[in-house]
Each structure stands twice: as C-alpha cells, then as structure tokens.
Amino acid sequence: MKILKVSLFVLLGVAVIIAAYFIGYKAGADVVRNGLLANHPTIKNVVQSSDIEIDSTLTFTITPQDASALINLLGNSTAGESIQVSVPYYGLYGVDLAIRHFRFFINDENEVEMWLPGVTLRYCELKFDQLLINGQPAATANSPNLHKAMYAYLIPLLGKNRAALKTAKLAVTKALMYYFMPYKFGLRLYIDKEFQDLPLVPGANL
C-alpha cells in the first residue's frame, strides 16, 4: 500500500512538472510572439530590406514626336529621325516606408493582416559612360543637361517595369513570411490594396 501511495505521489509530481513545463513553454512562446508583433521598427526594416536590385540595359526608340528636345540633346542623328538609345542602369525596387504609413493587426482568423503601400522604383542610376545612340557611343554623354533630361524621361518608364514590380512584391512577401510564419503566425498581406498569394517557402510554410 505504501508503495502504491509513493508511486502515485511520484506520478503526480511528474505530471505537475510536465504541466509546469508546458505552461512555461507556452508562456515563453507567447512572449516571443507578442514581441514580434510589437517590434514595429524591426518589421519596418524587414520590409525595406527586401528591395530587389536590377542591373540591366534599357534599349528603346525615341521619335521626334515623343521627345524632340531629348533627341537634340542626344545628338548623333539627323534632324527629324527616330533614334535608338541603349543605356545600362542600376535600380532598386521595393516598398518605401520612410514617408508612407503601413498597418498590421491580428484579424478575425487569428492571422497577421498587413497593409503596405505600393512597390516603387526607390533608386536609379543611369550609366552614361556606356550610353549608345544608334549603336554608337553618344557624343554628348557627359552633358549635365542630357543627364537631367534622360532621368526625367526614363524614371517614369522604369517605374512601370512590371516584371521588376512583381519580383519586388514577391521579395517583400517572402521576407514577411520568414519573419512571422516560423512562430506559427498566419499571414494575410496586401500591397497597394492588392492581396498577395503566399508562395511555398522552405522554412516558412513548407
């Protein structure tokens, strides 16, 4: 009988220890999860650090009807003719939160729901030393006026690069998945009010 009582006490003690462990583990996990949600600067940094880099060459044709002043600055052409321009560039595409607001919260499905502004061309550098006009080096490549006009003409075009914008959205999505999902958070993400499908990402949801 004494042996039975001792065994019961031992089992009860083990059960209490196990229960305390799981309660403590859950409490610790909740502290970590709450800390992730409360850390706005880190979340902001995760988003802004997911910029993608594009190092490529843009080739396009300009007609006198499109931009006669730019054609004149580029030179290397006969008056009234269209010209083909080729210029290497380096660009960064991503979400700029320095001057734009974002918000996130736990929704009714117990997911992290996040609303971000749209992806933009955050930085661009044109490499004028490799500028070609109709396949030939540009005689006016060092002209400050040309540089100013080229940026004014090309920034809007590069800002609409659909492939780069799509890739940048995917990079932001993956970065946030890596941040939240290992800690058992679901994620519902909107970029520029557009819902983002979550890809399968090893270490996050795979």
Side-chain angles (χ1 to χ4, degrees):
M1 196 68 177
K2 288 184 179 180
I3 295 175
L4 179 59
K5 287 182 178 180
V6 171
S7 300
L8 288 174
F9 278 120
V10 170
L11 290 173
L12 182 59
V14 170
V16 170
I17 291 171
I18 293 174
Y21 169 79
F22 280 107
I23 291 171
Y25 178 83
K26 185 179 184 306
D30 288 342
V31 169
V32 172
R33 284 161 54 86
N34 292 336
L36 288 172
L37 286 173
N39 200 335
H40 286 241
T42 297
I43 294 173
K44 184 175 180 179
N45 187 58
V46 167
V47 173
Q48 296 197 137
S49 297
S50 61
D51 290 353
I52 65 162
E53 300 180 358
I54 301 292
D55 198 349
S56 184
T57 298
L58 180 65
T59 300
F60 58 99
T61 299
I62 304 178
T63 68
Q65 293 75 27
D66 291 334
S68 59
L70 180 56
I71 288 180
N72 293 335
L73 287 170
L74 286 165
N76 293 49
S77 66
T78 302
E81 289 186 351
S82 300
I83 62 174
Q84 186 181 68
V85 181
S86 180
V87 58
Y89 73 97
Y90 173 81
L92 288 177
Y93 291 82
V95 176
D96 185 3
L97 298 180
I99 57 175
R100 299 169 122 183
H101 298 293
F102 72 106
R103 63 190 179 95
F104 62 93
F105 53 90
I106 298 296
N107 63 21
D108 293 338
E109 284 73 40
N110 203 33
E111 303 168 315
V112 176
E113 184 169 319
M114 181 171 291
W115 292 75
L116 296 175
V119 169
T120 61
L121 175 63
R122 297 189 62 197
Y123 173 82
C124 181
E125 178 183 348
L126 300 177
K127 302 176 182 179
F128 291 102
D129 59 327
Q130 301 173 53
L131 175 65
L132 299 178
I133 309 299
N134 293 330
Q136 300 298 319
T140 57
N142 294 323
S143 166
N145 290 334
L146 172 63
H147 294 182
K148 183 178 179 180
M150 285 280 285
Y151 275 112
Y153 185 81
L154 291 180
I155 290 296
L157 294 179
L158 292 172
K160 296 176 182 178
N161 185 331
R162 291 184 179 180
L165 296 175
K166 182 178 180 179
T167 302
K169 287 180 182 178
L170 182 60
V172 172
T173 301
K174 287 183 176 180
L176 289 169
M177 289 173 67
Y178 278 124
Y179 182 79
F180 286 115
M181 287 190 158
Y183 297 93
K184 308 304 179 184
F185 281 113
L187 177 64
R188 189 171 186 84
L189 176 63
Y190 295 85
I191 298 178
D192 197 22
K193 300 180 181 179
E194 180 184 5
F195 174 71
Q196 304 299 305
D197 291 319
L198 303 184
L200 293 176
V201 178
N205 62 345
L206 186 64

